[in-house]
Amino acid sequence: MTTHPNTPPAEENTPPKDESSASRGSSWLREHSELGVGLMLLILGVLVLTDALTMDVDITQRGPVGPKTVPIAVGIGLLAVAVLLSLDVLRGGRGEAEGGEDIDLSEPSDWRTVLLLAGVFLGNAVLIGPLGFPISGALLFWGSAYALGSRHLQRDPLIAACLSVVTYFIFNNLLGVPLPGGPLMGVI
């Protein structure tokens, strides 16, 4: 088989591949992924407005600014931002990555770390009632440090315990936010 000098190679003669509708839809969603943020803001705005408008307010309240004013303003702001963001994305706007981001999108997700952190937070939610915040918080801080890669087995639990006790003291005693003390209630 001989080729003539004026004949283009066979690859250039082939018609372009027709993209399937599923891949085009997936590509469109990937290019417009910021619409997910707009949808989340829209849902959050509707929830805030619904909660604010169904709020039970005492009839003896006086003045133009009541307990409904700020939630209604926040809900309207969320709806406005959701609409403006969605319009910008549909017109071709895209969010730009920060210059300091060092995320390599070609690398797979680190599901081990994500699952470890989820387990630590779930464990904290389960243990905070029976053990109290100082103990469950120490486990939360130490478990988070371990999940994120710290392997100092003598130092990390001590730092976590100190951080947990200081956090408990600040919230419980200085800010007046009661946290469960658990078995250490009388000690701290």
Side-chain angles (χ1 to χ4, degrees), residues 126-172:
V126 170
L127 296 175
I128 196 167
L131 296 181
F133 183 82
I135 295 173
S136 71
L139 293 173
L140 169 74
F141 295 136
W142 176 75
S144 297
Y146 183 84
L148 293 172
S150 180
R151 298 294 185 260
H152 297 279
L153 298 178
Q154 291 82 25
R155 182 188 70 186
D156 289 346
L158 291 174
I159 292 173
C162 291
L163 189 58
S164 179
V165 170
V166 167
T167 304
Y168 175 79
F169 177 77
I170 289 172
F171 275 86
N172 200 52

Side-chain angles (χ1 to χ4, degrees), residues 54-113:
T54 59
M55 187 183 300
D56 188 28
V57 179
D58 189 12
I59 194 98
T60 60
Q61 176 203 351
R62 297 175 191 216
V65 178
K68 289 184 175 185
T69 306
V70 172
I72 288 174
V74 169
I76 291 171
L78 285 169
L79 292 178
V81 169
V83 168
L84 292 173
L85 174 65
S86 299
L87 287 174
D88 182 51
V89 170
L90 291 174
R91 289 181 180 162
R94 296 216 19 108
E96 293 183 23
E98 291 183 26
E101 288 187 23
D102 59 349
I103 298 172
D104 185 7
L105 296 177
S106 65
E107 292 293 320
S109 299
D110 185 8
W111 286 107
R112 178 184 179 272
T113 302

Side-chain angles (χ1 to χ4, degrees), residues 24-66:
R24 274 184 278 148
S26 174
S27 173
W28 189 88
L29 285 175
R30 185 169 293 138
E31 290 173 6
H32 297 88
S33 61
E34 289 95 347
L35 288 174
V37 176
L39 179 65
M40 181 195 68
L41 290 173
L42 181 76
I43 291 170
L44 189 60
V46 168
L47 286 173
V48 168
L49 278 176
T50 303
D51 193 36
L53 293 174
T54 59
M55 187 183 300
D56 188 28
V57 179
D58 189 12
I59 194 98
T60 60
Q61 176 203 351
R62 297 175 191 216
V65 178

Side-chain angles (χ1 to χ4, degrees), residues 1-20:
M1 179 166 131
T2 60
T3 60
H4 298 292
N6 294 338
T7 307
E11 294 173 5
E12 292 178 15
N13 285 338
T14 58
K17 294 181 182 177
D18 186 29
E19 291 183 16
S20 69

